[in-house]
Every structure is written in C-alpha cells, then in structure tokens.
C-alpha cells in the first residue's frame, strides 16, 4: 500500500512538472517560465494586489477581487489573506492547466503546492507571491481544494498589452 501511495505521488509530481516545463520552452529559452509568466523579484514590483480568500454563510467561496487585470511586463506582488474559517489556496495558470490540475487535486486531495504561481493558506494566515507577467492573454486563478472551485472560488486573470 505504501509503495502504491509513493508511486501515485511520484506520478502526480511528474504530471505537474510536465506542463510547466513544456510551457517554459518558448523561443526565449526561459526554463522556469509558464504561459502567463514567471516568478518575479521583489525588487522589480510595480504594484501590489491584495487578495482575500473567504467563504460566506451561504456556502459560497470566493476571492476578492473577483477579477484581476495586469499588464504585460508588470511585476506584481500578490498579498494574500485567508479571512475564512477553512484552508484555501490560490493558483494562477491557463484555464486548461487549471482544469487539469483540478482533476488531479480531486484524486489527491492531500497534495500541497510549492509552485511559484500558487499559495496555500490556513485560516487567518497571510502570504505573498511575486509574479512577472510576460505574455498577454486570458488566464484564470482558482482554489483547487476539492469543492472550492465549484463553490465559486475562481476568476479571470487578464494580461493586457503594455
């Protein structure tokens, strides 16, 4: 049983790494770059976007703001606060990758993230992500803890031209 669990975790890690690597091998040759950009440096931050994670008494789960708009080339500091009563996470990526990751999270709900485009927070915790948006387009952010996406915890992330 332990062997199967370890094999499952290894397979999951491999599946997660493959899309990020494939997305990062564009003509610029940035191995750590994803479709929506790459981890940013604090010294290059041009603005901060404060993001709250929470749930309502009616069972809705949400992010504030519900929509994120940035510009190509911008380095953003995302400052997170989990104002809810349960754990939440924030993952940003292409809509296709978000959906693929969501399916994997349903199979492996205990999986924790250590990717530069995501953060997991317990109730009351704060955290941050620094991100440089290198490509224009329509992307998505979401909480992929099973059931949270379906309860409304996702939104559009648009990267506009400079």
């Amino acid at each position: 049983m332990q062997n199967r669990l370890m094999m499952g975790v290894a397979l999951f890690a491999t599946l997660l790494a493959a899309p990020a690597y494939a997305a990062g091998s564009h003509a610029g040759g940035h191995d750590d770059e994803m479709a929506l950009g790459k981890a940013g440096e604090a010294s290059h931050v041009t603005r901060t976007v404060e993001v709250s994670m929470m749930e309502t008494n009616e069972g809705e789960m949400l992010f504030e703001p519900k929509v994120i708009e940035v510009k190509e080339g911008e380095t953003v500091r995302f400052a997170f606060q989990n104002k809810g009563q349960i754990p939440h996470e924030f993952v940003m990526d292409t809509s296709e990758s978000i959906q693929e990751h969501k399916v994997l999270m349903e199979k492996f709900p205990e999986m924790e993230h250590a990717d530069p485009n995501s953060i997991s927070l317990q109730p009351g915790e704060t955290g941050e992500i620094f991100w440089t948006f290198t490509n224009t387009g329509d992307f998505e952010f979401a909480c992929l803890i099973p059931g949270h996406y379906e309860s409304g915890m996702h939104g559009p992330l648009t990267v506009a031209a400079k």
Side-chain angles (χ1 to χ4, degrees), residues 85-117:
Q85 302 300 311
I86 59 175
H88 292 296
E89 68 180 18
F90 175 95
V91 178
M92 58 183 170
D93 208 335
T94 64
S95 292
E96 296 80 17
S97 291
I98 290 284
Q99 291 306 314
E100 290 171 9
H101 193 158
K102 182 177 165 298
V103 169
L104 288 173
M105 285 295 294
E106 289 166 358
K107 292 180 183 177
F108 302 98
E110 301 300 317
M111 200 68 172
E112 293 185 16
H113 301 98
D115 301 312
N117 64 319

Side-chain angles (χ1 to χ4, degrees), residues 16 23 29 32 41 53 58 61 69 73 81 94 117 138 145 152:
L16 281 181
D32 295 333
E41 296 182 31
M53 309 164 162
E58 294 78 31
M61 297 186 192
E69 296 176 346
Q81 182 176 12
T94 64
N117 64 319
D138 295 318
I145 295 172

Side-chain angles (χ1 to χ4, degrees), residues 150-162:
E150 293 79 7
S151 296
M153 208 161 191
H154 59 93
L157 189 161
T158 302
V159 182
K162 293 181 186 179

Side-chain angles (χ1 to χ4, degrees), residues 7-149:
M7 287 174 56
V9 170
L11 175 62
F12 181 70
T14 301
L15 290 172
L16 281 181
Y21 180 76
S25 59
H26 67 70
H30 303 288
D31 288 337
D32 295 333
E33 191 163 323
M34 299 172 64
L36 77 159
K38 60 184 179 179
E41 296 182 31
S43 61
H44 295 124
V45 168
T46 55
R47 72 178 169 120
T48 296
V49 173
E50 294 184 7
V51 180
S52 297
M53 309 164 162
M54 66 196 85
E55 60 278 346
T56 67
N57 291 336
E58 294 78 31
E60 182 182 14
M61 297 186 192
L62 52 100
F63 290 106
E64 283 294 329
K66 294 180 185 209
V67 174
I68 297 175
E69 296 176 346
V70 298
K71 295 212 182 281
E72 177 185 21
E74 188 173 22
T75 298
V76 175
R77 173 184 171 256
F78 289 97
F80 297 95
Q81 182 176 12
N82 183 347
K83 294 181 176 181
Q85 302 300 311
I86 59 175
H88 292 296
E89 68 180 18
F90 175 95
V91 178
M92 58 183 170
D93 208 335
T94 64
S95 292
E96 296 80 17
S97 291
I98 290 284
Q99 291 306 314
E100 290 171 9
H101 193 158
K102 182 177 165 298
V103 169
L104 288 173
M105 285 295 294
E106 289 166 358
K107 292 180 183 177
F108 302 98
E110 301 300 317
M111 200 68 172
E112 293 185 16
H113 301 98
D115 301 312
N117 64 319
S118 66
I119 190 168
S120 297
L121 297 174
Q122 294 297 314
E125 283 188 328
T126 61
E128 57 189 15
I129 292 175
F130 298 97
W131 197 261
T132 300
F133 294 91
T134 57
N135 298 304
T136 60
D138 295 318
F139 302 96
E140 186 174 12
F141 60 93
C143 180
L144 299 178
I145 295 172
H148 292 211
Y149 187 97

